[in-house]
């Protein structure tokens, strides 16, 4: 058993190209050595207990050249500074970037540009080993970017491996809103592995919204490694709409006082889909607030995992940390494994966490039907209502209407925008 | 309008309705009174189409249709309305938005064209004024954070919006203050025509001072055991139900 999985990580990597990005030596130094000792984690690994990789391990990835596409088919919002990757090629770059916003792509990024954010998981190490392309975004000191930045990643073709590595630097007092979309086209048994290192300097402000809308047979791994300095405000919205298998690892290091951290997640799943959200908020400094709200609706045989950790270090007094995960199971065959964890080593803190899982509120459905609304519509109204608060956290109205359109098309869910 | 014959119903194997008969014609107001647990809400729930109940015998004819054959929403579209004893809160679903969906689904069912936004807003203004429901409440999430009385008023507001043929009001008067009682009663009276009918389930004859019933029925142990004119309500208020229980002929 053990042996075969170990062999499978090596065989999984056999066709993958080495990294094309010029990464700093601290990142690559031990990476190969570490990887050679690793295998795909099994359910005995706490962080992978409910997320099996055995099906992935059997896939032989093979990078192929994709035919040109019209990226507009994947456009989420009209008015944005947009960058588009089709597999590992950057196929579109907005040419009207404002002063203070700079974006470097692929080999424009120098070794010294990269932060050395090291993650220990096999996912992050594979990313270091095989990163093919990505972007480095810099928002200069005091700049408020007037429009959202939109980065679109399209996995095109079967068994396609895509390793993207990105970095986002928000300088002192800067402010930005970034939309990231993950999509696929004809992606049967394809694999995408994306890594973001995000650095918020003092008094900066960032809203990062990820839309995961991959095809129904794509494996997607997304890792965000965030550092927040004093007085910064960070929001991450993770909206998972599609994908056979989605794993999110979010790690926020709060490394200064008076920071605010918001993690919001919405996952709407059906058929045999699997989504796993692992988040960690590490409070190292005092006087900070973190808020986490993840909500999911699961139909058919879909499965979801939520594991949210909050650490409050010994000197991090006066921390308010709230965490909540709520789920609605629409079918008897859907499952959720939810585990909120608090580890508190300071005494003057306010923390709460909770997890709920329930069925659809049938009383509410009956009430709506008794007014003449069809059962399908009534159910969809109640599901939509459940998701409303978390989706309303998506700050951009354009992106919100995009999400609502997707929900209507895929799940027959009709959410109302605020008037 | 509706004829209920020999209705027997049980829940979880426990018989609740035990041969209930009731006929309501267009233009009539019927009051149903009876002690706690007699089966009044059960009757209302069965008429509305709640699926937990097992109908073991009997039939219900609603304007020529077999009511028991219709789904919950089909009954509503055919003109049946239940004002719930305990209206549910549905956070995130706006009161007016869901009513608009309901009205348009009802219209579609009747082969009529959808109501325009303008027409709809005018109707909301008109009907919320009728039951003196604050327009802010009308546009909030269904019953969320409403007081007990506001929930009941919202039920009558919905009834006014949907304009049903047969309305069943299950203890709509309980939890209402004197002014609200008058307002709700006034709303019901204004909606009354010779084409529609109302069944009022209540414990207090007070409401019947405002809405004059043509018939008062006593529902006891799953059956209608006595029917008379409006004076019966007064008599019940005075004497309670014991004399009826004692006189009950099997
Ligand atoms: N889900 C249920 N399971 C078991 N028994 C039930 C259920 N629902 C109702 N009953 C029983 O059915 C009987 C009739 O209840 P119902 O609510 O119809 O009474 P009611 O006449 O409306 O009373 P009240 O005046 O208190 O509103 C009661 O004995 C009640 O306990
Ligand atoms: Mg009752």
């Amino acid at each position: 058993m053990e042996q075969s999985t170990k062999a499978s990580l090596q065989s999984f990597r056999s066709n993958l190209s080495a990294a094309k990005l010029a990464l700093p030596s601290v990142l690559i130094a031990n990476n190969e050595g570490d990887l050679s000792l690793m295998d795909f984690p099994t359910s005995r690994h706490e962080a992978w207990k409910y997320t099996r990789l055995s099906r992935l391990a059997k896939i032989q990835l093979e990078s192929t050249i994709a035919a040109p596409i019209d990226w507009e088919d994947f456009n989420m919002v009209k008015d944005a500074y947009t960058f588009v990757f089709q597999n590992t090629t950057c196929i579109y770059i907005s040419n009207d970037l404002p002063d203070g916003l700079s974006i470097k792509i692929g080999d424009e990024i120098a070794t010294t540009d990269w932060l050395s954010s090291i993650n220990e998981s096999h996912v992050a190490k594979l990313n270091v080993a095989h990163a093919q392309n990505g972007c480095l975004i810099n928002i200069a000191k005091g700049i408020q970017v007037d429009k959202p930045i939109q980065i679109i990643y399209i996995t095109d073709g079967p068994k396609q491996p895509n390793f993207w590595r990105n970095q986002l630097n928000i300088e002192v007092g800067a402010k930005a809103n970034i939309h990231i979309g993950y999509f696929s086209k004809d992606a049967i048994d394809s694999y995408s592995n994306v890594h973001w290192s995000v650095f918020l300097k003092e008094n900066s402000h960032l809203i990062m919204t990820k839309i995961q809308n991959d095809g129904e047979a794509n494996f997607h791994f997304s890792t965000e490694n965030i550092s927040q300095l004093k007085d910064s405000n960070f929001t991450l919205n993770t909206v998972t709409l599609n994908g056979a298998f989605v794993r999110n690892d979010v790690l926020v290091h709060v490394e200064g006082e008076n920071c605010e951290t918001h993690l919001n997640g919405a996952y709407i799943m059906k058929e045999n889909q699997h989504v796993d959200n692992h988040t960690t908020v590490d409070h190292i400094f005092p006087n900070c607030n973190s808020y986490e709200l993840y909500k999911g609706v699961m139909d058919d045989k879909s499965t979801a995992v939520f594991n949210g950790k909050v650490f409050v270090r010994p000197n991090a007094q006066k921390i308010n940390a709230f965490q909540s995960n709520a789920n609605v199971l629409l079918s008897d065959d859907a499952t959720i494994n939810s585990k909120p964890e608090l580890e508190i080593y300071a005494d003057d803190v306010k923390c709460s966490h909770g997890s709920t899982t329930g069925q659809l509120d049938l009383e509410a459905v009956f009430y709506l039907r008794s007014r003449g609304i069809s059962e399908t519509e009534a159910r969809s109204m109640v599901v939509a209502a459940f998701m409303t608060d978390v989706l309303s956290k998506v700050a951009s109205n354009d992106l919100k209407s995009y999400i609502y359109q997707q929900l209507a098309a895929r799940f027959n869910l009709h959410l109302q925008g605020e008037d | 309008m509706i004829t209920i014959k020999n209705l027997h119903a049980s829940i979880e194997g426990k018989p609740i309705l035990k041969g209930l008969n009731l006929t309501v014609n267009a233009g009539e107001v019927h009051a149903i009174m009876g002690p706690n647990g007699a089966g009044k809400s059960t009757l209302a729930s069965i008429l509305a189409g709640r699926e937990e109940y097992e109908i073991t015998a009997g039939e219900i004819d609603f304007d020529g249709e077999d009511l028991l054959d219709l789904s919950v929403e089909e009954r509503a579209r055919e003109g049946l309305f239940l004002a719930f004893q305990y209206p549910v809160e549905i956070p995130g679903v706006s009161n007016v938005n869901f009513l608009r969906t309901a009205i348009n689904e009802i219209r579609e069912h009747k082969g009529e064209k959808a109501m325009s936004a303008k027409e709809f807003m005018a109707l909301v203004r008109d009907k919320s004024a009728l039951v003196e429901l604050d327009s802010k409440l009308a546009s909030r999430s269904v019953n969320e954070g409403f007081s007990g009385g506001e929930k009941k008023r919202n039920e009558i507001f919905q009834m006014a919006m949907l304009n049903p043929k047969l309305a069943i009001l299950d203890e709509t008067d309980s939890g209402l203050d004197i002014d609200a009682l008058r307002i709700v009663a006034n709303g019901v009276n204004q909606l009354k025509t010779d084409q529609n009918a109302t069944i009022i389930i209540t414990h207090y004859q007070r409401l019947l001072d405002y809405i004059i019933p043509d018939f008062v029925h006593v529902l006891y142990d799953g059956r209608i055991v006595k029917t008379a004119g409006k004076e019966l309500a007064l008599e019940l208020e005075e004497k309670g139900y014991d004399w009826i229980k004692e006189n009950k002929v099997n």
Side-chain angles (χ1 to χ4, degrees), chain A residues 195-416:
Chain A
H195 188 101
W196 281 91
S197 308
V198 180
F199 193 40
L200 285 95
K201 291 246 178 95
E202 289 83 355
N203 198 29
S204 65
H205 196 287
L206 173 67
I207 302 173
M208 190 170 176
T209 303
K210 296 196 282 177
I211 307 293
Q212 299 176 313
N213 201 3
D214 274 299
E216 276 148 15
N218 192 59
F219 292 80
H220 176 72
F221 293 77
S222 177
T223 307
E224 284 86 25
N225 202 327
I226 297 111
S227 293
Q228 280 190 257
L229 294 189
K230 197 165 163 292
D231 301 321
S232 63
N233 190 317
F234 174 67
T235 299
L236 176 67
N237 302 310
T238 302
V239 182
T240 310
L241 303 170
N242 201 350
F245 176 105
V246 178
R247 165 78 178 217
N248 292 302
D249 282 282
V250 177
L251 179 56
V252 185
H253 309 269
V254 188
E255 297 173 305
E257 289 195 48
N258 299 318
C259 289
E260 247 187 57
T261 310
H262 300 263
L263 300 181
N264 305 306
Y267 41 97
I268 301 101
M269 302 272 106
K270 60 180 184 180
E271 291 151 11
N272 285 306
Q273 291 182 275
H274 178 83
V275 61
D276 179 343
N277 282 295
H278 266 67
T279 67
T280 303
V281 178
D282 189 359
H283 284 288
I284 306 162
F285 277 77
N287 296 311
C288 294
N289 298 331
S290 65
Y291 308 89
E292 181 165 8
L293 175 65
Y294 273 67
K295 279 189 154 187
V297 175
M298 273 99 54
D299 202 353
D300 305 325
K301 291 182 173 166
S302 61
T303 51
V305 179
F306 173 81
N307 184 294
K309 286 197 180 84
V310 175
F311 291 110
V312 180
R313 304 282 185 106
N315 294 323
Q317 301 295 357
K318 303 243 187 282
I319 296 293
N320 293 314
F322 304 102
Q323 189 192 61
S324 149
N325 174 231
N327 300 282
V328 167
L329 304 181
L330 297 179
S331 116
D332 290 342
D333 298 323
T335 46
I336 165 81
N337 282 291
S338 176
K339 190 176 177 193
E341 290 179 66
L342 291 177
E343 282 191 38
I344 300 171
Y345 302 102
D347 44 31
D348 187 12
V349 297
K350 239 189 248 153
C351 294
S352 71
H353 66 171
S355 164
T356 59
T357 299
Q359 315 295 316
L360 194 66
D361 183 351
L362 294 179
E363 282 299 309
V365 172
F366 179 75
Y367 188 90
L368 297 173
R369 291 176 70 196
S370 80
R371 300 313 186 224
I373 295 173
S374 71
E375 183 172 5
T376 325
E377 182 61 29
R379 287 174 70 92
S380 109
M381 280 176 132
V382 176
V383 169
F386 171 73
M387 294 307 287
T388 298
D389 60 343
V390 68
L391 289 172
S392 72
K393 311 248 183 204
V394 173
S396 143
N397 282 332
D398 282 358
L399 191 57
K400 221 181 300 181
S401 26
Y402 170 81
I403 296 168
Y404 292 175
Q405 274 167 29
Q406 297 298 308
L407 288 173
R410 188 168 151 72
F411 298 93
N412 191 31
L413 280 184
H414 304 284
L415 281 97
Q416 270 121 14

Side-chain angles (χ1 to χ4, degrees), chain B residues 155-176:
Chain B
E155 293 293 287
I156 304 304
F157 166 65
Q158 292 176 34
M159 168 181 156
M161 291 292 292
L162 299 172
N163 191 24
K165 275 199 295 210
L166 176 65
I168 304 147
L169 312 185
D170 191 357
E171 296 198 26
T172 302
D173 53 337
S174 60
L176 291 183

Side-chain angles (χ1 to χ4, degrees), chain A residues 37-207:
Chain A
L37 298 173
M38 280 180 145
D39 44 22
F40 278 115
T42 66
S43 56
R44 280 189 301 270
H45 296 73
E46 190 56 33
W48 297 89
K49 198 164 172 188
Y50 303 106
T51 293
R52 306 286 152 80
L53 298 173
S54 47
R55 203 167 81 72
L56 174 68
K58 292 196 193 85
I59 297 171
Q60 263 313 229
L61 300 171
E62 179 83 70
S63 142
T64 48
I65 293 165
I69 48 162
D70 183 1
W71 70 268
E72 291 270 6
D73 295 346
F74 302 92
N75 197 13
M76 300 185 288
V77 296
K78 281 269 166 297
D79 202 18
Y81 301 114
T82 299
F83 287 73
V84 183
F85 291 87
Q86 178 190 21
N87 293 333
T88 53
T89 312
C90 182
I91 57 164
Y92 179 83
I93 301 178
S94 274
N95 52 18
D96 59 344
L97 300 191
D99 283 349
L101 167 62
S102 88
I103 304 191
K104 293 182 186 176
I105 303 293
D107 52 17
E108 295 167 15
I109 311 168
T111 305
T112 48
D113 288 336
W114 291 103
L115 291 169
S116 52
S117 67
I118 299 179
N119 278 56
E120 291 307 322
S121 79
H122 83 281
V123 177
K125 292 194 185 294
L126 284 175
N127 188 280
V128 169
H130 304 289
Q132 301 295 301
N133 208 343
C135 50
L136 188 138
I137 304 173
N138 200 80
I139 321 282
K141 189 174 164 183
I143 293 291
Q144 298 201 3
V145 184
D146 60 335
K147 286 192 259 185
I149 302 160
Q150 175 179 236
I151 320 277
I152 293 172
Y153 299 88
I154 305 156
T155 295
D156 188 347
K159 302 201 164 136
Q160 193 63 42
N162 281 324
F163 291 86
W164 298 295
R165 190 172 190 91
N166 312 281
Q167 184 171 317
L168 187 49
N169 301 323
I170 318 285
E171 296 294 339
V172 177
K175 199 169 175 179
N177 187 357
I178 176 163
H179 305 338
I180 307 168
Y182 299 101
F183 302 95
S184 53
K185 179 177 162 280
D186 311 321
I188 298 152
D189 289 345
S190 290
Y191 173 92
S192 51
N193 175 327
V194 61
H195 188 101
W196 281 91
S197 308
V198 180
F199 193 40
L200 285 95
K201 291 246 178 95
E202 289 83 355
N203 198 29
S204 65
H205 196 287
L206 173 67
I207 302 173

Side-chain angles (χ1 to χ4, degrees), chain B residues 18 46 78 97 101 103 112 127 157-158 187 193 213:
Chain B
K18 303 167 183 174
I46 288 170
E78 290 295 329
N97 282 334
T101 307
I103 285 177
E112 297 167 6
K127 301 303 181 190
F157 166 65
Q158 292 176 34
T193 69

